[in-house]
Amino acid sequence: MTKRSDFFKFNKNIITAFSISLLTVVLYQNISEGSFESSLQRTSLESFLREDMEDREIFRQDVEVLVGMIIEKDNTEAGELYILARQLKNINEFELAGKVYQDIYNTYKDELDGDVMAEYAQTLFLSGGRKFNNDIDEIINSSLEKNSLNPLTLTLKGLSELEKGNPSLTIGYWQKALPLLSSKKEKDELVALIEVVKKRKNQ
């Protein structure tokens, strides 16, 4: 049996193998099997994860209650928490995703790799009005200590330095991230941003 903390040492690409229905089945087995209320919440979560933003609101209250229950449950597995956090993040529900990532971070901080920390930092940044703060900076720095070659962490670190008025550091972090990006589109976009910062720096 794999230790709960060891989940984060695996290749996270396996997450794509999990369907929404599997996620909800596993979660509800650990919450309150058989109750009518939990059945309704399960349906709400499935719909919430599938619907467009406009149609999502009718399920939000049930899902918010469910997320709170999952976080408070002592025996929810690390993998289940991570799948839920990723699902919420992927549909741009950053505030809800941040709550789940926070629980993962608080419980497994020492075992987490830099990749999960980077996702958590990004989620906090996006849910907080695209502004950095001391907590986000601390998570980014911890992520860099765990993995100095994570392109998301390097991109966030560069953006944080730009907000602090350190464009030279921004350029350095982003240039380090460039060869680590997986797609040409991402690279082209970052190159364009580097050029913009260079021009601003030289004005």
Side-chain angles (χ1 to χ4, degrees):
M1 180 68 70
T2 302
K3 294 181 180 177
R4 294 171 68 189
S5 59
D6 285 346
F7 172 84
F8 300 105
K9 296 186 174 79
F10 291 114
N11 184 338
K12 289 182 293 303
N13 288 333
I14 64 172
I15 296 305
T16 57
F18 289 89
S19 66
I20 293 172
S21 57
L22 175 59
L23 165 65
T24 53
V25 167
V26 172
L27 289 174
Y28 278 95
Q29 285 175 340
N30 283 323
I31 295 175
S32 52
E33 290 186 0
S35 76
F36 178 69
E37 182 179 0
S38 68
S39 177
L40 288 176
Q41 289 174 331
R42 170 181 172 176
T43 301
S44 294
L45 177 60
E46 291 174 341
S47 299
F48 189 82
L49 292 171
R50 289 194 178 101
E51 296 294 340
D52 293 332
M53 181 69 73
E54 293 180 359
D55 300 322
R56 211 176 284 158
E57 293 306 312
I58 60 176
F59 308 107
R60 184 173 299 279
Q61 185 174 355
D62 281 349
V63 172
E64 287 176 349
V65 170
L66 172 61
V67 168
M69 291 170 59
I70 292 169
I71 290 172
E72 292 173 7
K73 192 74 173 176
D74 291 335
N75 64 347
T76 305
E77 293 294 326
E80 295 157 14
L81 289 170
Y82 181 70
I83 293 167
L84 179 60
R86 283 292 299 270
Q87 291 279 11
L88 292 168
K89 179 174 178 285
N90 287 344
I91 61 170
N92 298 328
E93 288 291 338
F94 302 118
E95 186 173 345
L96 281 171
K99 292 178 181 179
V100 184
Y101 275 116
Q102 182 179 26
D103 187 54
I104 295 170
Y105 183 77
N106 290 342
T107 306
Y108 302 104
K109 182 177 180 180
D110 293 337
E111 290 84 9
L112 291 182
D113 62 23
D115 297 343
V116 179
M117 288 185 172
E119 291 175 21
Y120 178 34
Q122 182 190 38
T123 301
L124 290 180
F125 171 72
L126 293 171
S127 66
R130 298 176 185 271
K131 296 289 184 181
F132 291 93
N133 56 43
N134 291 337
D135 290 338
I136 298 175
D137 286 334
E138 180 181 338
I139 296 167
I140 290 172
N141 291 334
S142 296
S143 176
L144 281 174
E145 289 176 6
K146 298 261 188 170
N147 180 4
S148 63
L149 297 178
N150 180 290
L152 176 56
T153 311
L154 291 167
T155 304
L156 288 169
K157 181 66 174 177
L159 195 57
S160 175
E161 293 297 341
L162 186 63
E163 188 177 280
K164 294 179 177 66
N166 301 318
S168 295
L169 290 177
T170 295
I171 293 167
Y173 283 115
W174 286 358
Q175 287 178 332
K176 190 174 181 180
L178 265 177
L180 304 172
L181 294 173
S182 58
S183 75
K184 184 179 185 301
K185 182 176 181 292
E186 290 175 332
K187 291 180 180 179
D188 290 344
E189 289 175 349
L190 191 55
V191 166
L193 288 172
I194 290 171
E195 292 304 313
V196 169
V197 174
K198 284 181 177 178
K199 288 179 181 178
R200 288 176 53 185
K201 177 176 176 288
N202 294 330
Q203 286 178 350

